[in-house]
Amino acid sequence: MFVLGIDPGLSRCGYGVVEGLGRGRARAVAAGVLRTDPGSDVPQRLAALQVDLRSLLGEHRPVVMAIERVLFQANARTAIPVAQAAGVAMVEAVAAGCQVVEYSPNRVKQTITGHGGADKRQMERMVQTLLGITMPLRPVDAADAMAVALCHLAHAPLRERVSTRMEGQPRGGLQVADPVPAWGPR
Amino acid sequence: MFVLGIDPGLSRCGYGVVEGLGRGRARAVAAGVLRTDPGSDVPQRLAALQVDLRSLLGEHRPVVMAIERVLFQANARTAIPVAQAAGVAMVEAVAAGCQVVEYSPNRVKQTITGHGGADKRQMERMVQTLLGITMPLRPVDAADAMAVALCHLAHAPLRERVSTRMEGQPRGGLQVADPVPAWGPR
């Protein structure tokens, strides 16, 4: 199952596509940052972001968009444009037939590293480990988006993952190999 | 020129379509509230709002969407979903070929009543007067949206209004009759 992780933002919107392989393994498919021109006005920037998100969804056809929840407390100055960008991401995902699931930043950190107060470096190291890659994850928005996608793979109810993977497979051809969350604090 | 005023919200999104007739006159075309099911999750609600907004834009074909700016200070609890709804409204407007213009709540009040601290009742009375209607404007979200649309008609630069109205008209067939803002504090 392909999961598109989104770290929403208007200036920089991080994305990471991860494929869940079962048995706690996952593969990084694509990651990056969608940027919009700070010189344009907000509606035009949101429209540009919409186009980029639509391309991503069309290219990777994820089953789920896992998106970091915008918290009011987190950053008062940018909360409004970040929420606007998140709104656009959500409707694009729904239009593409994706399930959309929100995770708070603390939930993502807790799931990936085992504690909600993890710093950027700890998060990056765990994301690298989970994806089996050694190269630095840059820019940081892309690493954050990967973390949200991995968080979803860890939390998605088993039945949901099973039913998704069964589509298009011969009936009875699926073995349930991982009845516990694939990742997360153990 | 048709202007679609939007008072954004996820539970209740007010809209008002106003036609500017020149010489400071305007006509109310349509007004109401788009509601989404509080029992659904946010992405589904935003998607439902998107469908309704698209219908409105298709039906009335406004040249401009005038939308109330979401202010962080105004209401901490609801700012995030309101901003998400505003983001969706903006991208729908851009997709429909509309210009999108944001006005702060204070700017709307200042323009319509002459002072930024006007209360709901004062606002409603002035909107009724400007539109030449006597019936109460209910629900209040619709009246607020009408006010934003009227605010735009008052502030839109003259050249913009002229160029819009000149489309499809015989060259030289337009008389500039209102070189001052159509409404607002005098």
Side-chain angles (χ1 to χ4, degrees):
Chain A
M1 130 161 132
F2 280 66
V3 177
L4 170 60
I6 292 286
D7 180 24
L10 186 57
S11 297
R12 308 165 56 85
C13 179
Y15 70 90
V17 182
V18 167
E19 185 183 9
L21 303 171
R23 296 177 174 271
R25 292 171 304 127
R27 182 175 72 88
V29 175
V33 175
L34 309 174
R35 292 181 174 84
T36 64
D37 176 10
S40 296
D41 61 5
V42 170
Q44 294 300 332
R45 295 175 73 182
L46 289 169
L49 177 65
Q50 181 184 38
V51 169
D52 288 346
L53 287 164
R54 201 171 288 175
S55 298
L56 265 183
L57 289 159
E59 187 179 347
H60 299 289
R61 305 206 169 278
V63 173
V64 176
M65 174 184 282
I67 183 166
E68 196 163 291
R69 191 186 300 278
V70 187
L71 295 182
F72 196 72
Q73 305 82 351
N75 193 333
R77 204 176 52 80
T78 62
I80 300 298
V82 172
Q84 289 171 332
V88 171
M90 287 179 182
V91 293
E92 282 304 310
V94 172
C98 281
Q99 186 194 358
V100 181
V101 190
E102 290 184 278
Y103 295 98
S104 72
N106 275 9
R107 180 96 180 267
V108 176
K109 289 177 185 172
Q110 174 75 37
T111 304
I112 299 295
T113 68
H115 59 108
D119 64 23
K120 290 274 179 198
R121 206 161 149 224
Q122 290 170 303
M123 283 289 284
E124 188 186 4
R125 215 174 298 160
M126 273 308 293
V127 170
Q128 286 176 317
T129 303
L130 292 168
L131 292 172
I133 54 180
T134 51
M135 61 176 182
L137 287 161
R138 294 286 177 277
V140 71
D141 316 68
D144 288 348
M146 283 286 200
V148 187
L150 292 169
C151 175
H152 176 77
L153 283 175
H155 282 289
L158 182 64
R159 57 181 158 68
E160 202 173 281
R161 281 187 281 155
V162 169
S163 68
T164 302
R165 280 184 292 180
M166 278 180 78
E167 280 168 23
Q169 297 209 8
R171 190 172 290 192
L174 186 78
Q175 294 296 315
V176 176
D178 46 354
V180 291
W183 295 291
R186 310 218 172 176
Chain B
M1 128 164 134
F2 281 66
V3 176
L4 170 60
I6 293 287
D7 179 23
L10 185 57
S11 296
R12 308 167 53 85
C13 179
Y15 70 89
V17 182
V18 166
E19 184 182 11
L21 302 171
R23 296 177 173 271
R25 291 171 305 126
R27 183 174 72 90
V29 176
V33 175
L34 309 175
R35 292 181 174 82
T36 64
D37 176 10
S40 296
D41 61 6
V42 170
Q44 295 299 333
R45 295 175 73 181
L46 288 170
L49 177 64
Q50 180 184 38
V51 169
D52 288 346
L53 286 164
R54 200 171 289 176
S55 298
L56 265 185
L57 287 159
E59 187 180 344
H60 298 288
R61 305 206 170 279
V63 173
V64 175
M65 174 184 282
I67 184 167
E68 196 164 292
R69 191 186 299 278
V70 187
L71 294 183
F72 197 73
Q73 304 82 351
N75 193 333
R77 205 176 52 79
T78 61
I80 300 296
V82 173
Q84 288 171 332
V88 171
M90 286 179 185
V91 294
E92 282 304 310
V94 172
C98 280
Q99 188 195 357
V100 181
V101 189
E102 289 183 280
Y103 295 98
S104 73
N106 276 10
R107 180 95 179 266
V108 175
K109 288 177 186 170
Q110 173 74 37
T111 303
I112 299 296
T113 69
H115 61 107
D119 65 23
K120 292 273 179 198
R121 206 163 149 226
Q122 290 171 302
M123 283 288 286
E124 186 186 3
R125 214 173 301 160
M126 272 308 293
V127 169
Q128 286 176 315
T129 303
L130 291 169
L131 292 172
I133 55 182
T134 51
M135 60 178 184
L137 287 161
R138 293 286 176 278
V140 71
D141 318 67
D144 288 348
M146 283 286 201
V148 186
L150 292 169
C151 174
H152 176 76
L153 283 175
H155 282 290
L158 181 65
R159 57 182 159 69
E160 202 173 285
R161 281 188 281 153
V162 170
S163 68
T164 303
R165 281 184 290 178
M166 277 181 79
E167 281 168 23
Q169 297 210 7
R171 190 171 289 191
L174 187 77
Q175 293 296 316
V176 176
D178 46 353
V180 292
W183 295 292
R186 311 220 172 174

